[in-house]
């Protein structure tokens, strides 16, 4: 830092004005990491940046945000709980269970300090198989070599729910606990019969596999999916359109919201500024241009069916822009954990 006095920003923000904002994301083969990187870039505004109105950064002055690669939702919740990151991306169901001490967190202390900035987009449950194989449905996975997701990932949690709904468990498979990129590579080499990932389509690991060999995605639909949606309130129905992945036909599956989470103790002013930067028009363009899933990140859906309470800084922003108000808050009360 010896050359700091020579830098053009030395007369403006000082070194002590800098702050770092670590965002726990996911694996490089999923969607969290690239989306998290785009968000980190958008909300950052380090000293020396050109002003927003002159084509420069429209982020938070003095903030340097960094996307941190992780295993995924469960690890991100743990990192938030321990205070080792300032924010984290996670599936809505995982966030709700952590907040309430239920579901996969049954028997653990509720993480009642967990708060949300809002919902970013819907994540789809992907189960990819070779198109030339005999696996047509989820029950066909019995006795097969299947990557069910890494320990610490939201994928593993949701795949277990899907298997149970179809009358299967990990013991009925030859399970592997692989990173998405590794799983895709092994599918292409014929070393696994299927791999799973929950992510916003298109997921790079599935795109990679589909670019190397013909693949298809297993449907999760019909009465089984309907029962799952009834018992797991954050599951929804979604269709992954044809050719989202090269040569892969449309498939109906389950989806769950991806939320950007923080701790309740985070400064209201800081989270207000981060939320405002997240939904700035320049950020919208950056997301849309930077990743196909970025086009579906819409402020209008940010507070719909959130899994945990809004951080006061985020709530302040949404009130200012008219997305929530007294009536809206009352109408949405039932969707919030009690």
């Amino acid at each position: 830092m010896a050359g700091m006095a020579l830098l053009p920003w030395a007369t403006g923000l000082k070194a002590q004005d800098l702050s770092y904002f670590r965002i726990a994301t996911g694996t490089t083969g999923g969607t969290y990491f690239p989306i998290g990187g785009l968000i980190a870039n958008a909300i950052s505004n380090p000293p020396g940046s050109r002003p927003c109105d002159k084509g420069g950064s429209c982020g938070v002055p003095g903030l340097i945000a960094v996307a941190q690669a992780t295993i995924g939702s469960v690890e991100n919740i743990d990192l938030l709980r321990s205070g080792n990151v300032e924010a984290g991306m996670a599936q809505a169901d995982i966030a709700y269970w952590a907040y309430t001490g239920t579901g996969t967190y049954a028997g653990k202390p509720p993480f009642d300090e967990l708060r949300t900035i809002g919902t970013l987009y819907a994540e789809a449950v992907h189960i990819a198989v070779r198109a030339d194989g005999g696996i047509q449905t989820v029950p066909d996975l019995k006795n097969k070599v299947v990557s069910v997701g890494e320990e610490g990932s939201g994928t593993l949690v949701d795949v277990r729910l899907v298997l149970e709904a179809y009358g299967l468990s990990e013991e009925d498979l030859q399970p592997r606990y692989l990173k998405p990129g590794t799983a895709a590579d092994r599918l292409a080499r014929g070393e696994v019969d299927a791999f799973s990932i929950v992510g916003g389509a298109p997921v790079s690991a599935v795109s990679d596999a589909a670019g190397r060999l013909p693949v298809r995605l297993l449907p999760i639909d019909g009465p089984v999916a309907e029962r799952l949606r009834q018992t797991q309130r954050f599951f929804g129905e979604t269709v992954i359109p044809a050719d989202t992945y090269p040569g892969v036909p449309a498939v109906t599956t389950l989806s769950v919201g991806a939320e950007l989470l923080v701790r309740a103790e985070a400064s209201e002013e800081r989270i207000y500024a981060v939320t405002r930067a997240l939904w700035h028009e320049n950020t919208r363009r950056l997301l849309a241009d930077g990743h196909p899933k970025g086009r579906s990140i819409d402020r209008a859906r940010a507070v719909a069916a959130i899994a945990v309470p809004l951080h006061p800084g985020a709530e302040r922003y949404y009130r200012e822009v008219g997305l929530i108000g007294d009536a809206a808050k009352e109408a949405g009360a039932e969707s919030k954990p009690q």
Side-chain angles (χ1 to χ4, degrees), residues 146-151 156 160 170-171 174-180 183 186:
V146 182
S147 177
V148 291
E150 291 183 276
E151 293 285 355
L156 179 57
R160 284 170 171 161
E170 286 165 81
E171 288 70 30
Q174 298 180 55
R176 301 291 185 270
Y177 304 90
L178 305 174
K179 295 180 182 295
R186 293 194 183 180

Side-chain angles (χ1 to χ4, degrees), residues 312-325:
E315 181 174 354
R316 175 180 151 197
Y317 170 80
Y318 294 123
R319 285 187 180 281
E320 284 186 1
V321 299
L323 282 176
I324 59 174

Side-chain angles (χ1 to χ4, degrees), residues 156-174:
L156 179 57
V157 173
D158 283 353
V159 167
R160 284 170 171 161
L161 291 173
V162 170
L163 290 173
E164 182 181 5
Y166 280 96
L168 299 173
S169 70
E170 286 165 81
E171 288 70 30
D172 295 311
L173 317 175
Q174 298 180 55

